[in-house]
Amino acid sequence: MNYLDFAIRNIRRHKKRSLVTIFTICLGFTALGIMGGILNNIFSRLKEQSIITEKLGHITFAKEGFYENGKLHPEEYLWNEKEMKSIISILENSGDVELATPRLSLFGIASNGEASTIFITEAIVPEDDHVLIKTNVDGRTDREDISLAVAKDKNSDVAIGSELSSSLKLKEGDYLTLLTTTKDGIANAADVDIKKVYNTGNPANNDKYVLSNFYMAQELYDTKGAERIVVTLKEPKNIGEAQVKLNSLLKAAGYKVESKTWDKLSLTFGKVKTMFEVIFRVLTMIITVIVLLTLLNTMQMAVTERTREIGTIRAIGVLRKNIIKLFCAEGIIMGIIGCLLALPILFLIAFILKTLNVTFIPPVASTEVPIALILKPSKIVPVFVLFVVASLVSAFLASRKIAKQKVVISLSRTN
Amino acid sequence: MSKSSTLIELNSVYKTYFLGTQKVKALKNINFSIMHGDFIAIAGPSGSGKSSLLNLISMIDEPTNGEILYGDVKIKDLTDNQITSFRNKKIGIVFQNYNLIPVLNAVENVAFPLQINKVSKKESIERASNLLEEVGLGEHLNHRPNNLSGGQKQRVAIARALITNPEIVIADEPTAALDSKTGMDIINLMKHLNETKKTTFIFSSHDPKVIDNVDSVITLRDGEIIQAENAVLKSKEEVINS
């Protein structure tokens, strides 16, 4: 007996009902596909914000214990110039690294001569940052190169966050005084030229962020070294393996280092991702239950209407388990068709959104990005499997009672 | 197989139903044998127990008390799967309302029991087509049940019951939904198949014209056999000895 053929004929027998069921599955799958696609876009933009805008690269290396004690004893966790150059050389020669660049971060008080506020600065090597800014994040490389504002030949050039600019009434071309401490805790100050005012993309630091020149920061901090080395990888998909390999290389060279990937360093990415993943899972469960109940209702109606027919085929010689198989085949077919129909709809919606170029501000960001659906198998395939399993379960639940029913009772049913 | 050998034996068979809290004794102390090649009609008014008896013989129901033997096999010793396979291979069932599967055409309906039994599609369709030719439906092989008349549907149902070459065909009121002429045609077809294929037939009817045209008649009233013409009834001693 060809269950597939028999199941398809039974699905076609009640066209309207089957279509409504398939439409419900399709709708549920489309809804989750859209939600998943938008979340993928949000995660991708946050990833880009972390790697590029927050300058975290893919992996950051620091002296062992830096993240725990570095603020209390900064001088102990600095690499000197020789160490810094050696580590950069090891990383660059590993074969995995696209860029290895030193970093310093400072904080203190920024003043326009009349008012002051706190600032934090990430000190970058400008020519290295031109490379970082072109890092491929989920296929995107074309973005504004803010680091152009921080010229190598003029160490005092900086770019500042737009809210810092507005709070101190500063504009491009003005100067700003940065007051901080050296690595030994002695006060030090520098006048810097505001080359660029820009939105950092992160509302948490847009009112205090100063993107400064690494060499100027070294002078301010009274060091020739660096506190961190940020790297970007040639193959970011293998970030875990690369991290282990690079750690081993540095350890073999006698350096005690600790390394963190960008997602662990980002203050917001992990939390936002976790929150949205939870929302997505809850939504998935709710929609799956709706799909399951819809299919259960359809299957229950089919079972009720076909009770005598089931009695007949049982009388002719179909085993109980094969009755269940038959209904499960019907459920699975409807589940698969519903999901497959949703795929072109999702691609169409993705295409329309791309064409319209509608923008929005993602959570914990302050810059607009295009609304887009990034359709990844990692989100779609589990939902597909879940819906097919839900279809199978609902068909099983609906048919198991009738399969167990005595043949004579099934046959006595008058439809 | 000789006509004298026993196919099915019913020994002290009782069937009791409960309608709510009310106990209904549908069959009381039924004892008789069906021999190979028999053509038996079960007669009696509505509610006399005809359908209950045929349900037990066709193994789609089980007795409350008593024993049914199919050759040497005690039916009550079989599991549900064994009974189902047994029905598929040894018993053909014809229903009063034909009970054809609406999504299958005539030839697919007839081939269905073979396909359950894992006979290839090609062979099962070929055998079903030949059988439908035999019952006079060669022109209607690809017609769905809703495009067939009552008599044609019943012929398809008979062909479906015969396709596995069963030892017995059991028909519950096969002519009840048909006009008298078509009903007689069906009985004559069954009689013809009984004579040519030596298939055993047992069917119920309350139509006197049908009853007049069969060799053996067992008459039921209130769940008991009250008359048997040319049927092998069993004595109390035979039942005890069996």
Side-chain angles (χ1 to χ4, degrees), chain B residues 5-237:
Chain B
S5 62
T6 305
L7 179 63
I8 297 173
E9 281 180 70
L10 288 90
N11 298 327
S12 301
V13 169
Y14 289 80
K15 183 67 192 177
T16 306
Y17 296 110
F18 284 90
L19 287 176
T21 53
Q22 197 185 351
K23 200 174 180 181
V24 179
K25 289 182 178 174
L27 292 172
K28 300 169 203 165
N29 196 26
I30 302 293
N31 296 288
F32 77 96
S33 297
I34 300 168
M35 315 304 282
H36 280 289
D38 271 355
F39 193 76
I40 305 174
I42 308 286
S46 292
S48 59
K50 300 189 296 294
S51 294
S52 298
L53 180 58
L54 291 181
N55 287 344
L56 296 182
I57 297 169
S58 56
M59 297 164 62
I60 60 173
D61 201 2
E62 53 202 42
T64 312
N65 276 308
E67 188 176 69
I68 300 173
L69 289 164
Y70 198 107
D72 295 330
V73 180
K74 285 183 184 177
I75 301 305
K76 68 179 176 185
D77 291 343
L78 301 179
T79 63
D80 184 76
N81 281 356
Q82 287 170 325
I83 288 173
T84 306
S85 297
F86 200 92
R87 260 199 317 265
N88 175 250
K89 289 169 188 158
K90 307 263 187 183
I91 300 173
I93 303 173
V94 178
F95 301 94
Q96 181 180 332
N97 292 310
Y98 332 118
N99 289 21
L100 299 179
I101 299 160
V103 293
L104 303 180
N105 62 29
V107 72
E108 288 167 336
N109 261 289
V110 176
F112 191 70
L114 287 178
Q115 289 175 5
I116 293 168
N117 212 3
K118 306 226 183 310
V119 176
S120 72
K121 188 175 180 183
K122 190 184 171 195
E123 186 190 336
S124 58
I125 293 291
E126 196 176 307
R127 280 169 61 180
S129 303
N130 292 339
L131 198 51
L132 281 171
E133 295 271 359
E134 269 187 62
V135 298
L137 286 176
E139 306 282 306
H140 300 81
L141 299 182
N142 297 316
H143 288 202
R144 287 272 176 100
N146 57 357
N147 293 323
L148 297 171
S149 68
Q152 287 169 332
K153 284 180 195 171
Q154 200 58 301
R155 283 168 189 268
V156 174
I158 290 168
R160 183 177 66 182
L162 286 165
I163 191 73
T164 54
N165 294 321
E167 292 184 330
I168 184 168
V169 171
I170 298 158
D172 188 9
E173 306 252 11
T175 61
L178 306 172
D179 62 69
S180 58
K181 184 187 173 298
T182 313
M184 279 315 299
D185 288 345
I186 292 295
I187 295 299
N188 290 334
L189 172 67
M190 286 164 52
K191 184 71 184 161
H192 171 72
L193 293 167
N194 168 251
E195 285 165 1
T196 55
K197 291 181 181 285
K198 305 298 178 200
T199 308
T200 308
F201 275 83
I202 181 165
F203 61 96
S204 62
S205 180
H206 55 255
D207 184 347
K209 283 187 199 163
V210 171
I211 305 297
D212 287 346
N213 279 281
V214 297
D215 308 327
S216 308
V217 180
I218 292 172
T219 308
L220 292 175
R221 181 173 294 161
D222 297 331
E224 290 179 293
I225 297 176
I226 56 163
Q227 193 182 356
E229 289 176 32
N230 297 328
V232 183
L233 294 186
K234 301 182 88 177
S235 67
K236 195 174 180 181
E237 281 178 352

Side-chain angles (χ1 to χ4, degrees), chain A residues 68 74 104 217 240 256 267 283 298 307 338 361 382 388 401:
Chain A
E68 200 174 339
L104 275 172
K256 288 185 177 178
L267 296 174
L283 198 69
T298 302
T307 299
I361 299 173
V388 173
K401 192 178 169 189

